[in-house]
Amino acid sequence: MLAWKYLRWALRSASWLWLASVLLLPGLAGAASLPGPVHAVVDANTLPPVPVADHEVTTLEAACILPGSAMPPGPQAAWRHVTLPHIWRETHADEQGAMWYRFRVTMAHAPDALWAIYLPRAVMNAQVWVNGVPMAYTGSMSAPVTRNWYVPLLVQVPTGAWRDGDNVIHIKVVSGFMSRDGLAPVQVGPLTLLEAPYKTRLFLQVDGAYFANTAVLALGVFMMIAWMRDRDQVAIGFQGASAVLWGVGNSAYLAAHPFFGDAVWAPLSVTAMVWSALAMALFFRRFVGRRSRLVERGVLGLMLVTPLWAWLSASVHLIVFGYGVAYVIFMVCMVQAIHGVIKSDRRDGVWLLGGCALLVPAAAHDVAFQVNLLPFDAIYTLPFVSPIMMSCIFYVLAGDYARSRRALNRLNGNLAETLAQREAALRESFARLAELERAQAVSAERSRILRDMHDGVGAHLTSALRQLQSPQENKVDLGLVTQTLRDSLDQLKLSIDALSLQPGDVVGLLASLRFRITPRLKAVGLELVWDVADLPPWPQGHAPALRQLQYILFEGLSNVLQHSGATRLTLSAHAKADCLEVSLIDNGRGWSGEGEGQGLQAMRARASVIGARIAFLARPEGGAELRVSLPLKADAELDLSSAA
C-alpha cells in the first residue's frame, strides 16, 4: 500500500516538473555557450575584424583582454585573445579592479539609424567605448562599484560614432567584492532589434525578480503575523521566517546600491540566504510532526555561526560550500516531510510535493550556475520558483486552517444545539422544582397552622375539656373554662390574622392584637392604653419571626388576665437607636418572687429563636412590664427555620 502511495506521488511530481519545463525553461534559457579555450598573447591588429551586417544582430564571441589602465590601451599592448564568456580567474586569478575587452568589427558603411551594444551580463559594471569615444554608462565605475552584476546593459551608440570599414569597440568591466567577474558574449546591431531581448532579460533578471521577491516577503510577513497571534503554530513561524529571510537575502543580492560596503553587505546577504534554508528545514520537520530538541538546537547552532563563516569566507568556493551544507540539511528535512505526507496521506499534500518538485531542480540549477557548470549569462531560477513553493505551502496551511475553522463551526453548532437542549431541560427542571417548592410551601403552611392549632388552640381546648371532666365531688369552675375557651378562640383568630401581615410590620401585628383582645379586656374591666409610635420595618421580621413575637405577646396578655389583678394595661412600642422596643405594662400585683414558671421560660425561648431580647421588669410605682427588644440590624447568621 505504501509503495503504491509513493508511485502515485512520483507521477504527480513528474507532472509538476513537466509543467515547470513548459512554463520556465523557454524564458530562462541562456544565450551563451560554455567557456572556450584561452589563447596566447597577440597583437590586437592581427586578429581579423568581425563583419557586421546592416540590418542584423551580430554576436561577438571573441575578444582581446588586458587588465588595468583608466583609458583604453593601444593595439600594441600585451593583449590576450579569449573567447566569451570570459571569467577573470581563468586568466587573471588575482586581478581585482578593471579589465578591458577589445573587439574589431567592420561595416560596409556607417549606419544611419540608431545602433546599440547589448551586454547580457557584465560583472560588476561596464562602460563602452566606440572608436575611442566613451558612451554613457550606469552607476559608478570606481569603488564602491555599482552592483550591476545581474543587470543587463543596453548602450545606445550615436550614428556619428561609427565609421565605414573597421571600428574598434572597447568595454571596460570593473570588479566587485568576491564576485565572479567576467563578460558574456556581446551583441551589436540596430537598437530596434536589440530592445526586445534586452527587455525580456531585464524583466527576468530585475523587474520580475523584484516582483517575485516582494510576493515572498508579503507571504512571509503574513505567516509571521499568523504565528505571533497563535504561538502554537511553530511550523508557520519557521515558514514565515524562511520566507522573510529569503526575501531579505535576495533583495540584498539584487540591490545595486547597498547601504553598507561590500565587506559587510555581502556577508549579510549570504547569512540571510543560509538562514532561510535552515529555517525551511525546521519547517519541514515541524510540518509532519517531527520534533527533536537535539536537531533543532543543532540547526540553530549553525545559524549562530553562519555570520562568522560568511564574513571570514574569502572566496566564492567557500560561499558555495556553505550553501551546499545548508541545502543538504534542507534536502534531508524535505525528504522527511515528503515521506511523512505520503505515509499519512495528508490532505492537500500534493501541493507540498509539487512545490518541492519545482524547488529541487531550481536549486540544483542555481548551484550549478554558481560553480560555472552553466553558461555565464544563465538566469537564476530560484527567485521565480521560491514564491511558487511558498504559495504551495501557504495553500496547504490555509487548507488546514480552513478545515479547522469548519470543524470549529460544526463543533460550535453542535455545542449550541446541545446547550439549547440542556437549557430546555434545565427550564423544565426549574419549573418542576418551582412547583415542588410551591407544594412544599403549601405543605409547610399547613403544617404551621396545624402546629399552631395543636400548640395553642389545641392546648387550650384540652385544658377546657379536663376542667369539664373533673371528678363529681369537685365543682366545675365555669369561669375558668370560659376563660380557657376565650384564649383558644383569640389565639385562633390571631393565627389567621398573621397570614396577612407584611414582613417586618410590627405595627400591624400590634394592631391585630389590640383588635382581637380589646373585647375580652373590657369584659373583665381592664383598660387598654395604646402607646404605639410609627415604627420602621423590622429587618428580621419574616413570617415565622412575627408569629413568635405574636405568641410572646399573647402569652404575656394571658398572664395579665389570669394572674395580675390589674385594672389598666399599656401596649407600648417605640423605635430606639438600635432596636424596636415593645412592652406590655400593667398596674397589677407584679411578678411573683417564686422564679420563672413554664410560661415565662417558653417566652424567653421564643425570643432567643428570633434574636430578640426579653426582660421581665417590676415597675417602681407597682405592676409589671414585659419588654421585648427587636434588633434593627439584620443578623445574616440567624437561622429562622426553627421559628416556623
Side-chain angles (χ1 to χ4, degrees), residues 440-461:
Q440 289 177 351
V442 172
S443 176
E445 188 64 18
R446 289 175 179 173
S447 299
R448 183 192 66 78
I449 294 173
L450 290 175
R451 189 165 55 252
D452 289 348
M453 293 180 66
H454 177 271
D455 294 343
V457 179
H460 286 88
L461 291 176

Side-chain angles (χ1 to χ4, degrees), residues 332-391:
V332 170
C333 295
M334 185 183 69
V335 171
Q336 291 177 341
I338 293 175
H339 173 72
V341 168
I342 296 175
K343 185 176 181 180
S344 62
D345 200 15
R346 178 168 179 159
R347 295 184 64 179
D348 296 334
V350 65
W351 290 93
L352 176 68
L353 182 62
C356 294
L358 294 177
L359 187 67
V360 171
H365 171 276
D366 288 359
V367 171
F369 186 15
Q370 285 281 345
V371 296
N372 296 325
L373 296 179
L374 294 179
F376 184 70
D377 58 348
I379 296 175
Y380 286 102
T381 55
L382 276 178
F384 297 96
V385 174
S386 294
I388 299 176
M389 172 68 177
M390 299 294 181
S391 298

Side-chain angles (χ1 to χ4, degrees), residues 203-215 250-251 253-256:
F203 173 78
L204 293 175
Q205 296 184 187
V206 181
D207 298 335
Y210 274 120
F211 177 79
N213 202 56
T214 302
N250 208 36
S251 298
Y253 273 120
L254 296 174

Side-chain angles (χ1 to χ4, degrees), residues 75-127:
Q76 291 75 26
W79 293 95
R80 299 183 67 174
H81 179 232
V82 296
T83 58
L84 303 182
H86 169 248
I87 300 177
W88 289 15
R89 64 171 173 265
E90 295 177 355
T91 57
H92 302 77
D94 298 328
E95 181 64 32
Q96 288 187 2
M99 183 72 70
W100 285 95
Y101 292 83
R102 188 174 190 272
F103 306 88
R104 289 179 65 198
V105 297
T106 181
M107 300 178 177
H109 52 80
D112 54 2
L114 195 60
W115 273 42
I117 299 176
Y118 172 42
L119 283 64
R121 191 174 186 201
V123 181
M124 280 280 192
N125 203 5
Q127 183 183 11

